[in-house]
Short mmCIF file of all heavy atoms in Angstrom, two decimals:
data_model
loop_
_atom_site.label_atom_id
_atom_site.label_comp_id
_atom_site.label_asym_id
_atom_site.label_seq_id
_atom_site.Cartn_x
_atom_site.Cartn_y
_atom_site.Cartn_z
N ASN A 19 118.99 160.01 -5.01
CA ASN A 19 119.24 159.74 -3.60
C ASN A 19 117.97 159.93 -2.78
O ASN A 19 117.69 159.17 -1.86
CB ASN A 19 120.34 160.68 -3.09
CG ASN A 19 121.19 160.04 -2.01
OD1 ASN A 19 121.69 158.93 -2.17
ND2 ASN A 19 121.36 160.74 -0.90
N LYS A 20 117.19 160.97 -3.11
CA LYS A 20 115.94 161.22 -2.40
C LYS A 20 114.91 160.13 -2.67
O LYS A 20 114.11 159.79 -1.80
CB LYS A 20 115.38 162.60 -2.77
CG LYS A 20 116.19 163.75 -2.20
CD LYS A 20 116.30 163.64 -0.69
CE LYS A 20 117.16 164.72 -0.09
NZ LYS A 20 117.36 164.53 1.38
N LEU A 21 114.91 159.58 -3.88
CA LEU A 21 114.00 158.48 -4.18
C LEU A 21 114.34 157.26 -3.34
O LEU A 21 113.45 156.54 -2.88
CB LEU A 21 114.05 158.14 -5.67
CG LEU A 21 113.44 159.18 -6.61
CD1 LEU A 21 113.68 158.78 -8.06
CD2 LEU A 21 111.96 159.37 -6.34
N LEU A 22 115.63 157.05 -3.10
CA LEU A 22 116.04 155.96 -2.21
C LEU A 22 115.58 156.25 -0.79
O LEU A 22 115.21 155.34 -0.04
CB LEU A 22 117.56 155.79 -2.26
CG LEU A 22 118.12 155.24 -3.57
CD1 LEU A 22 119.64 155.32 -3.58
CD2 LEU A 22 117.67 153.80 -3.79
N TYR A 23 115.57 157.53 -0.42
CA TYR A 23 115.08 157.92 0.91
C TYR A 23 113.59 157.62 1.03
O TYR A 23 113.12 157.18 2.09
CB TYR A 23 115.36 159.40 1.16
CG TYR A 23 114.79 159.91 2.46
CD1 TYR A 23 115.46 159.70 3.65
CD2 TYR A 23 113.57 160.59 2.50
CE1 TYR A 23 114.95 160.16 4.86
CE2 TYR A 23 113.05 161.05 3.69
CZ TYR A 23 113.75 160.84 4.86
OH TYR A 23 113.23 161.29 6.04
N PHE A 24 112.85 157.85 -0.03
CA PHE A 24 111.41 157.55 0.00
C PHE A 24 111.18 156.07 0.31
O PHE A 24 110.19 155.71 0.94
CB PHE A 24 110.76 157.91 -1.35
CG PHE A 24 110.59 159.38 -1.56
CD1 PHE A 24 110.68 159.93 -2.83
CD2 PHE A 24 110.34 160.23 -0.49
CE1 PHE A 24 110.52 161.29 -3.03
CE2 PHE A 24 110.18 161.59 -0.68
CZ PHE A 24 110.27 162.12 -1.95
N ARG A 25 112.07 155.22 -0.15
CA ARG A 25 111.95 153.80 0.15
C ARG A 25 112.02 153.58 1.65
O ARG A 25 111.30 152.76 2.21
CB ARG A 25 113.06 153.01 -0.57
CG ARG A 25 112.96 151.51 -0.36
CD ARG A 25 114.02 150.77 -1.15
NE ARG A 25 115.36 151.12 -0.73
CZ ARG A 25 116.47 150.65 -1.30
NH1 ARG A 25 116.38 149.85 -2.34
NH2 ARG A 25 117.65 151.00 -0.84
N PHE A 26 112.90 154.33 2.32
CA PHE A 26 112.98 154.29 3.78
C PHE A 26 111.65 154.70 4.39
O PHE A 26 111.15 154.08 5.33
CB PHE A 26 114.11 155.23 4.24
CG PHE A 26 113.98 155.73 5.67
CD1 PHE A 26 114.17 154.87 6.74
CD2 PHE A 26 113.70 157.06 5.93
CE1 PHE A 26 114.08 155.34 8.05
CE2 PHE A 26 113.60 157.53 7.22
CZ PHE A 26 113.79 156.67 8.29
N GLU A 27 111.03 155.73 3.83
CA GLU A 27 109.75 156.21 4.34
C GLU A 27 108.65 155.16 4.17
O GLU A 27 107.81 154.97 5.04
CB GLU A 27 109.34 157.49 3.60
CG GLU A 27 110.08 158.72 4.05
CD GLU A 27 109.80 159.04 5.50
OE1 GLU A 27 108.62 159.11 5.89
OE2 GLU A 27 110.77 159.20 6.24
N MET A 28 108.67 154.48 3.03
CA MET A 28 107.60 153.55 2.70
C MET A 28 107.72 152.22 3.43
O MET A 28 106.75 151.49 3.55
CB MET A 28 107.59 153.30 1.19
CG MET A 28 107.28 154.53 0.36
SD MET A 28 105.63 155.24 0.71
CE MET A 28 104.60 153.94 0.04
N THR A 29 108.93 151.90 3.91
CA THR A 29 109.15 150.57 4.50
C THR A 29 109.25 150.59 6.01
O THR A 29 109.55 149.57 6.62
CB THR A 29 110.43 149.93 3.92
OG1 THR A 29 111.54 150.82 4.15
CG2 THR A 29 110.28 149.69 2.43
N THR A 30 109.01 151.75 6.64
CA THR A 30 109.02 151.82 8.10
C THR A 30 107.68 152.34 8.60
O THR A 30 106.91 152.95 7.86
CB THR A 30 110.15 152.74 8.61
OG1 THR A 30 110.01 154.05 8.03
CG2 THR A 30 111.51 152.18 8.25
N GLN A 31 107.42 152.10 9.87
CA GLN A 31 106.16 152.51 10.47
C GLN A 31 106.01 154.03 10.47
O GLN A 31 106.98 154.76 10.55
CB GLN A 31 106.09 152.00 11.92
CG GLN A 31 106.26 150.51 12.08
CD GLN A 31 106.33 150.12 13.53
OE1 GLN A 31 105.49 150.53 14.34
NE2 GLN A 31 107.32 149.33 13.90
N SER A 32 104.78 154.49 10.41
CA SER A 32 104.50 155.91 10.50
C SER A 32 104.90 156.43 11.87
O SER A 32 104.57 155.83 12.90
CB SER A 32 103.01 156.17 10.25
OG SER A 32 102.72 157.55 10.37
N SER A 33 105.64 157.53 11.88
CA SER A 33 106.12 158.07 13.15
C SER A 33 106.68 159.45 12.93
O SER A 33 106.79 159.92 11.79
CB SER A 33 107.24 157.17 13.72
OG SER A 33 108.35 157.19 12.87
N ALA A 34 107.04 160.10 14.02
CA ALA A 34 107.79 161.35 13.93
C ALA A 34 109.24 161.00 13.59
O ALA A 34 109.64 159.84 13.62
CB ALA A 34 107.71 162.10 15.25
N GLN A 35 110.03 162.03 13.25
CA GLN A 35 111.41 161.78 12.86
C GLN A 35 112.36 162.83 13.42
O GLN A 35 112.00 164.00 13.57
CB GLN A 35 111.56 161.80 11.33
CG GLN A 35 110.93 160.64 10.62
CD GLN A 35 111.13 160.75 9.13
OE1 GLN A 35 110.18 160.66 8.36
NE2 GLN A 35 112.36 160.95 8.70
N VAL A 36 113.58 162.36 13.71
CA VAL A 36 114.69 163.30 13.90
C VAL A 36 115.17 163.60 12.49
O VAL A 36 115.91 162.82 11.90
CB VAL A 36 115.82 162.69 14.75
CG1 VAL A 36 116.95 163.70 14.93
CG2 VAL A 36 115.30 162.23 16.10
N LEU A 37 114.72 164.72 11.94
CA LEU A 37 114.98 164.99 10.53
C LEU A 37 116.43 165.40 10.30
O LEU A 37 117.05 165.00 9.31
CB LEU A 37 114.04 166.09 10.05
CG LEU A 37 113.86 166.22 8.54
CD1 LEU A 37 113.35 164.92 7.94
CD2 LEU A 37 112.90 167.36 8.21
N SER A 38 116.97 166.20 11.22
CA SER A 38 118.38 166.60 11.11
C SER A 38 118.85 167.08 12.47
O SER A 38 118.12 167.78 13.18
CB SER A 38 118.54 167.73 10.08
OG SER A 38 119.91 168.05 9.89
N ILE A 39 120.06 166.69 12.82
CA ILE A 39 120.68 167.15 14.07
C ILE A 39 122.18 167.28 13.82
O ILE A 39 122.78 166.42 13.18
CB ILE A 39 120.39 166.18 15.24
CG1 ILE A 39 121.05 166.69 16.54
CG2 ILE A 39 120.82 164.77 14.93
CD1 ILE A 39 120.65 165.91 17.77
N ALA A 40 122.77 168.36 14.30
CA ALA A 40 124.20 168.57 14.11
C ALA A 40 124.72 169.56 15.14
O ALA A 40 124.01 170.46 15.59
CB ALA A 40 124.50 169.08 12.70
N VAL A 41 125.97 169.37 15.49
CA VAL A 41 126.69 170.29 16.37
C VAL A 41 127.95 170.71 15.64
O VAL A 41 128.62 169.88 15.01
CB VAL A 41 127.05 169.62 17.72
CG1 VAL A 41 127.89 170.56 18.58
CG2 VAL A 41 125.78 169.21 18.46
N HIS A 42 128.27 171.98 15.69
CA HIS A 42 129.49 172.46 15.03
C HIS A 42 130.69 171.70 15.57
O HIS A 42 130.80 171.48 16.78
CB HIS A 42 129.66 173.96 15.26
CG HIS A 42 130.67 174.59 14.35
ND1 HIS A 42 132.03 174.45 14.53
CD2 HIS A 42 130.51 175.37 13.24
CE1 HIS A 42 132.67 175.09 13.57
NE2 HIS A 42 131.78 175.64 12.77
N PRO A 43 131.60 171.26 14.69
CA PRO A 43 132.77 170.49 15.15
C PRO A 43 133.54 171.13 16.30
O PRO A 43 134.07 170.42 17.16
CB PRO A 43 133.63 170.41 13.88
CG PRO A 43 132.65 170.45 12.76
CD PRO A 43 131.56 171.39 13.23
N GLU A 44 133.59 172.45 16.36
CA GLU A 44 134.32 173.13 17.43
C GLU A 44 133.64 172.98 18.79
O GLU A 44 134.26 173.23 19.83
CB GLU A 44 134.49 174.61 17.11
CG GLU A 44 135.39 174.88 15.90
CD GLU A 44 135.52 176.38 15.60
OE1 GLU A 44 134.90 177.18 16.35
OE2 GLU A 44 136.22 176.72 14.63
N HIS A 45 132.37 172.57 18.77
CA HIS A 45 131.61 172.46 20.02
C HIS A 45 131.21 171.03 20.35
O HIS A 45 130.46 170.79 21.29
CB HIS A 45 130.36 173.34 19.95
CG HIS A 45 130.65 174.81 19.92
ND1 HIS A 45 130.83 175.56 21.06
CD2 HIS A 45 130.82 175.66 18.86
CE1 HIS A 45 131.08 176.81 20.72
NE2 HIS A 45 131.08 176.90 19.40
N GLN A 46 131.71 170.09 19.57
CA GLN A 46 131.38 168.69 19.83
C GLN A 46 132.11 168.20 21.08
O GLN A 46 133.15 168.72 21.46
CB GLN A 46 131.73 167.84 18.61
CG GLN A 46 130.83 168.11 17.42
CD GLN A 46 131.22 167.36 16.17
OE1 GLN A 46 132.18 166.57 16.18
NE2 GLN A 46 130.50 167.59 15.08
N GLY A 47 131.55 167.19 21.73
CA GLY A 47 132.14 166.63 22.93
C GLY A 47 131.73 167.33 24.20
O GLY A 47 132.24 167.02 25.28
N LYS A 48 130.77 168.26 24.10
CA LYS A 48 130.29 169.01 25.26
C LYS A 48 128.92 168.54 25.75
O LYS A 48 128.35 169.12 26.67
CB LYS A 48 130.22 170.51 24.94
CG LYS A 48 131.55 171.14 24.55
CD LYS A 48 131.36 172.63 24.23
CE LYS A 48 132.65 173.29 23.83
NZ LYS A 48 132.45 174.74 23.49
N GLY A 49 128.36 167.54 25.08
CA GLY A 49 127.03 167.06 25.44
C GLY A 49 125.90 167.86 24.83
O GLY A 49 124.73 167.67 25.18
N ILE A 50 126.24 168.76 23.89
CA ILE A 50 125.22 169.62 23.28
C ILE A 50 124.25 168.79 22.44
O ILE A 50 123.03 169.01 22.47
CB ILE A 50 125.88 170.72 22.42
CG1 ILE A 50 126.68 171.67 23.33
CG2 ILE A 50 124.83 171.49 21.62
CD1 ILE A 50 127.52 172.68 22.58
N GLY A 51 124.78 167.82 21.71
CA GLY A 51 123.92 166.98 20.89
C GLY A 51 122.91 166.21 21.71
O GLY A 51 121.74 166.09 21.33
N GLN A 52 123.33 165.72 22.87
CA GLN A 52 122.41 164.98 23.73
C GLN A 52 121.31 165.89 24.28
O GLN A 52 120.15 165.48 24.39
CB GLN A 52 123.18 164.34 24.88
CG GLN A 52 124.12 163.24 24.44
CD GLN A 52 124.69 162.44 25.60
OE1 GLN A 52 123.92 161.95 26.44
NE2 GLN A 52 126.00 162.31 25.67
N LYS A 53 121.67 167.12 24.61
CA LYS A 53 120.67 168.06 25.12
C LYS A 53 119.67 168.43 24.03
O LYS A 53 118.47 168.58 24.30
CB LYS A 53 121.37 169.30 25.69
CG LYS A 53 122.16 169.02 26.96
CD LYS A 53 122.91 170.25 27.45
CE LYS A 53 123.72 169.93 28.71
NZ LYS A 53 124.52 171.08 29.18
#
């Protein structure tokens, strides 16, 4: 799966990344993710 991810890395422009973002399900819908 990670090797397939490397393909994503190799086929897109060099840039920064949102590597991971998550909000606990109990707190979703409060705009926390957007902040």
